[in-house]
Structures are given as structure tokens and as C-alpha cells.
Amino acid sequence: MSNWADQSGNSNDVAQATGAQQPPVNASSINSLPALTFSGTKLLSNTRTIITPGADRTVIGVIKNGAATAGGTVFHFRTAPPLMNFAAEQSGIGNFLMYSDASANVSQTAPQIVYDGNAHVLEWYMHVGASPGFVYDGVTKTIEAYSSFGNTVSSDTGGTALNLIGNYPGGIDPFLGDIAEGLIYDHLLTSGDQISLRRYLHGRYAINLGV
């Protein structure tokens, strides 16, 4: 896949010109629907300002990990510090994380999410200056700080725009698995919007989201 078109009408397509780094299409991945398979060097990117730096955001991914120790960066925003990173099962530790190096903050789910070979819907809710929110298949998860960092998410104000799907700058934390859909909002979804979105995703991918 050389170009993944933005369906919002805002022309935020992500692309990859180098053939060896283009993720292939898995025609029957999640609920017999297509997804892109990321493995090691695969990534898609653009340099548009999708979300105003420092703004709240909602980031949602429909993913299927390739192995029990697979995972890595699903979505990444900005290439020069401060960065903002959204990852699943990073380095095989079995959590999904939200990372900002504006003040070296990392937050992750607790307890760990166990890989089971199934597709999942991951929802990250970033409210700048407050604890983030994580929702896993429609269930809100407990937040904990990772390592010695706090769990208050700092903004990514001032970084240089670079948006990646499936990898981290420099390829140091690639996602290993399938990504079927990504939804990125420049605000926090209301509870009503969350329910509507989960109904849509449940109907499309047959993943139990409690709606």
C-alpha cells in the first residue's frame, strides 16, 4: 500500500514512496475485511498538522497483533521534541501506552493486556495536563505511571509535524501486526459519541465493545 486515503475529506492521506517500506494489504484480516500488515520497516507518514499542537485528542485504532511479543507504535505525532506516541504492547510488555517527552511522561494500562490472537479496538483519550484515558474493547482500563514517570500527559506543543502509522521515528519501535482502521479527533469524544463510534466499529468488525 503506497497511499492510505483519509476518509474525512481533510486530505490527511498517509503515504510511503519506498516499495520495501510499504505495508502489504491483508485482504481478509479482521472480520474478513482488509487491513494493512506492518512488520519491522513498514510505515506510512505525512507531514501535515492533523491536530493543533497542544490540543486534546482522541486516537482510536483497530488492530491485530502479529505475535504475543509483537506490538509497538500504532500512531506517532511529531518528529522533533516534544513527541507524542501511542503504542500497543510496546516491546512485548503487554500494555498499551501514551507517551510524551515534553516532560518525560509515560502512562500505560494496568493490569497488562494479554495477547490472545484476536482483533481489538484501542482508544486513547489525551487531555493535556490531566491523566489520560484508555479504553480496551469498550472497557475503561486503570491507569498507572510507567517506570518513574508521572501519569499526567504533557502536550506536544512546538514539535515538528511528522505523523506516522505503524512505526516510530528511526524505526526503533515498529508495530508488528495488522492495522485495519485509525480514527483521530482533535478533541475528546463525548460519552454519546463514544457509544455511537463503538456501535459502528462493532457492526463493522464484529468485536464485542459492550454496545
Side-chain angles (χ1 to χ4, degrees), residues 92-114:
I93 63 174
N95 301 80
F96 63 109
L97 299 93
M98 182 185 301
Y99 168 72
S100 168
D101 70 353
S103 57
N105 288 329
V106 179
S107 292
Q108 68 178 27
T109 55
Q112 292 186 347
I113 298 170
V114 178

Side-chain angles (χ1 to χ4, degrees), residues 18-126:
T18 303
Q21 293 182 297
Q22 294 171 358
V25 177
N26 181 342
S28 183
S29 175
I30 300 173
N31 197 30
S32 299
L33 294 172
L36 299 182
T37 298
F38 291 82
S39 57
T41 62
K42 313 299 184 185
L43 66 91
L44 296 168
S45 68
N46 71 29
T47 54
R48 294 174 59 86
T49 302
I50 295 177
I51 297 176
T52 301
D56 293 345
R57 70 199 62 185
T58 301
V59 178
I60 298 172
V62 182
I63 71 164
K64 184 177 181 180
N65 284 45
T69 57
T73 296
V74 182
F75 302 105
H76 176 87
F77 300 94
R78 320 201 75 74
T79 186
L83 309 174
M84 181 58 65
N85 203 53
F86 300 84
E89 305 223 8
Q90 185 166 313
S91 303
I93 63 174
N95 301 80
F96 63 109
L97 299 93
M98 182 185 301
Y99 168 72
S100 168
D101 70 353
S103 57
N105 288 329
V106 179
S107 292
Q108 68 178 27
T109 55
Q112 292 186 347
I113 298 170
V114 178
Y115 168 79
D116 57 10
N118 297 319
H120 297 284
V121 174
L122 307 184
E123 304 173 39
W124 294 268
Y125 294 93
M126 177 189 136

Side-chain angles (χ1 to χ4, degrees), residues 196-210:
S196 295
L197 181 60
R198 289 170 195 154
R199 285 174 177 164
Y200 155 72
L201 294 173
H202 168 71
R204 180 169 175 79
Y205 297 104
I207 298 172
N208 183 6
L209 301 176

Side-chain angles (χ1 to χ4, degrees), residues 127-149:
H127 183 43
V128 175
S131 294
F134 292 111
V135 180
Y136 177 75
D137 289 345
V139 178
T140 300
K141 306 296 288 187
T142 303
I143 308 290
E144 69 174 15
Y146 180 63
S147 185
S148 60
F149 303 126

